[in-house]
Each structure stands twice: as structure tokens, then as C-alpha cells.
């Protein structure tokens, strides 16, 4: 599956390629998607695949808990000090889109303590199909959906599905159990994304994990050369949440 196509970008150095002290800034990749779509497992798989060659750190986002960070710590995917948790206290998109200061502070703390870093993975708390990262926070965005969410999910669209730098169709090993045709789901996603890359992924399939890692390395090469310019998949659709249990 071809993953080479990304958003077209001018061959110019990004104005935000360095930290305030002038040192090289890590590539920041945001991972978003609905609850249960496999974001944390994908972060873990990427860390295992890349940690021997790249200096990596992770920032997780949850509303009131540290569950995602604790999962990564329990599985020892990185040294514990390289994993930070942000408790958003509100809808997950708040800290990745509306006010990214808490995440930026966490990233800067990690770079200050353990830099120079090559890569920081920023995992959003599970949200809906319209959640996107601010380009002020993420240089590139991976959006995750999964076969257990239904074979028609890709056709429903939304800025995460249609505009993220990479769309992952996750948990493909479950497809026979939920009666989903992965080939058809990928085809739907490719039509929705107008040429942007789509990757069918399973944490139990080393080849698919390797292709995901190759995509990350390719973005990192462009980031280091100054030819990668973050793009915005589009603002979230207006919506509301009830937080009072009603």
C-alpha cells in the first residue's frame, strides 16, 4: 500500500522548525480518533518499532485519568520519564485544538529534560469523528478508525477522516468477527480522502506496523529538511456535550 503521498507543501523552511533556544525541534505527530479505535496500542507499536533508532517521547491526553499513559508505562514501551500525561478536564479536543498550551508545555518540558528528541507522539483522548489537532501543536496528524466501529465509518467523513495526513483503519484482525470487508472499507476511505494515504493496520501484523513506521520516518525526513509544512484538516463541526449526566 502506497503511503508516499502527503499534502503538497512548498519547498521552504518551516518558521517553527526550532525551539526558542535555536536548537532543532522534535517532529510532533498527533494521533486522534474515536474512543476504542486503537490509538494507544498504535502509539505503543510505534515506540517499539522506532525506539532503537530515534529519540522518542509521548504525551497522552485523558479527561480525568492517566489510563493511556499508565498503559504505555505498564508495557514499558519507553523509559517512564519520557511519558507525560495531560488531564484535560474537559472534552478531549479542547487541549488539542482550542487551547493547546498544556500540551505544548508538556512537549517543551520533555525536550528540555531529554532533548534533543527526534519525535514526540501526542495522543488525544478519544473523541468523535470531527476531532482535529491544531497545526500549532501537531506537525502531522494520524487519524484512527477501526473495523469494529463499522465498515461504513470511512464513508461518514469528517475532517479527521478526510484531511488528516494519514488515516489508519485499525484492528483489521477483527474484521472476520465483525463481518467487515477491509478491502471495501479501505476503498471507501481512499475515495473520501482524494489521494491522501490510507493504511490498514493491526498490531498483530508486523508488516503493517513497519509501513506505519516508514511513514513516520518519511515525515521526519521532510521535517528535518524544512520541506514539511503542517496543514490543518479543518475545524471541528459545531457540537455540544452534556457533562452533567443528563
Amino acid at each position: 500500500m502506497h503511503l508516499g503521498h502527503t499534502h503538497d507543501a512548498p519547498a521552504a523552511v518551516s518558521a517553527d522548525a526550532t525551539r526558542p533556544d535555536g536548537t532543532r525541534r522534535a517532529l510532533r505527530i498527533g494521533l486522534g480518533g474515536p474512543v476504542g479505535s486503537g490509538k494507544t496500542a498504535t502509539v505503543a507499536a510505534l515506540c517499539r518499532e522506532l525506539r532503537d533508532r530515534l529519540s522518542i517521547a509521548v504525551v497522552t491526553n485523558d479527561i480525568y485519568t492517566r489510563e493511556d499513559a499508565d498503559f504505555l508505562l505498564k508495557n514499558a514501551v519507553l523509559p517512564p520519564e519520557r511519558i507525560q500525561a495531560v488531564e484535560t478536564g474537559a472534552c478531549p479536543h479542547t487541549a488539542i485544538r482550542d487551547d493547546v498550551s498544556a500540551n505544548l508545555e508538556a512537549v517543551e518540558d520533555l525536550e528540555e529534560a531529554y532533548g534533543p528528541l527526534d519525535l514526540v507522539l501526542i495522543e488525544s483522548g478519544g473523541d468523535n469523528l470531527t476531532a482535529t489537532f491544531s497545526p500549532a501543536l501537531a506537525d502531522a496528524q494520524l487519524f484512527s478508525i477501526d473495523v469494529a466501529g463499522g465498515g461504513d465509518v470511512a464513508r461518514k467523513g469528517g475532517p479527521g477522516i478526510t484531511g488528516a495526513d494519514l488515516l489508519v483503519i485499525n484492528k483489521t484482525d477483527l474484521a472476520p468477527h465483525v463481518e467487515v470487508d477491509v478491502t471495501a472499507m479501505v476503498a471507501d476511505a481512499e475515495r473520501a480522502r482524494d489521494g491522501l494515504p490510507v493504511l490498514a493496520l493491526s498490531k498483530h501484523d508486523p508488516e503493517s506496523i513497519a509501513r506505519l513506521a516508514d511513514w513516520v520516518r518519511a515525515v521526519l525526513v521532510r521535517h528535518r529538511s524544512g520541506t514539511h509544512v503542517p496543514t490543518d484538516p479543518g475545524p471541528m463541526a459545531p457540537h455540544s456535550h452534556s457533562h452533567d449526566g443528563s
Side-chain angles (χ1 to χ4, degrees):
M1 190 172 302
H2 179 61
L3 296 180
H5 182 89
T6 59
H7 295 280
D8 291 334
V13 176
S14 170
D16 192 30
T18 59
R19 298 178 58 223
D21 63 2
T23 58
R24 174 176 57 81
R25 177 174 69 70
L27 171 68
R28 301 188 297 246
I29 293 183
L31 295 90
V35 173
S37 60
K39 297 183 296 298
T40 308
T42 300
V43 169
L46 274 174
C47 288
R48 294 189 187 102
E49 189 77 10
L50 296 170
R51 64 191 176 189
D52 290 341
R53 292 182 177 271
L54 299 179
S55 181
I56 305 173
V58 172
V59 177
T60 65
N61 284 249
D62 282 301
I63 299 178
Y64 300 120
T65 73
R66 290 177 43 94
E67 284 190 15
D68 291 342
D70 290 343
F71 174 88
L72 297 173
L73 290 167
K74 179 180 178 180
N75 284 271
V77 298
L78 290 176
E81 64 273 12
R82 288 181 175 238
I83 301 170
Q84 284 206 19
V86 171
E87 294 183 29
T88 65
C91 301
H93 66 263
T94 301
I96 66 166
R97 180 87 197 177
D98 301 333
D99 179 2
V100 301
S101 56
N103 273 290
L104 286 176
E105 182 177 355
V107 171
E108 181 59 28
D109 286 348
L110 287 164
E111 293 217 74
E112 183 69 26
Y114 308 110
L117 298 174
D118 297 303
L119 174 66
V120 179
L121 300 171
I122 306 168
E123 181 191 348
S124 171
D127 210 311
N128 56 42
L129 293 176
T130 70
T132 57
F133 283 76
S134 166
L137 174 61
D139 299 301
Q141 307 187 32
L142 180 161
F143 198 81
S144 175
I145 58 177
D146 72 290
V147 299
D152 62 343
V153 174
R155 296 198 299 271
K156 295 180 178 179
I161 288 176
T162 61
D165 297 272
L166 176 66
L167 177 67
V168 166
I169 296 176
N170 219 338
K171 304 183 183 180
T172 55
D173 54 297
L174 298 181
H177 306 288
V178 293
E179 299 181 349
V180 167
D181 183 334
V182 174
T183 301
M185 194 171 179
V186 169
D188 286 342
E190 289 175 338
R191 283 191 290 270
R193 287 174 56 75
D194 193 27
L196 292 175
V198 178
L199 174 63
L201 184 77
S202 168
K203 67 179 181 180
H204 302 296
D205 176 17
E207 184 177 337
S208 68
I209 297 298
R211 290 198 297 270
L212 177 59
D214 286 344
W215 177 82
V216 171
R217 282 188 284 259
V219 178
L220 179 59
V221 168
R222 294 193 299 274
H223 173 72
R224 287 174 171 172
S225 69
T227 59
H228 178 80
V229 178
T231 59
D232 190 345
M236 294 185 63
H239 68 292
S240 62
H241 297 270
S242 174
H243 297 285
D244 59 5
S246 60

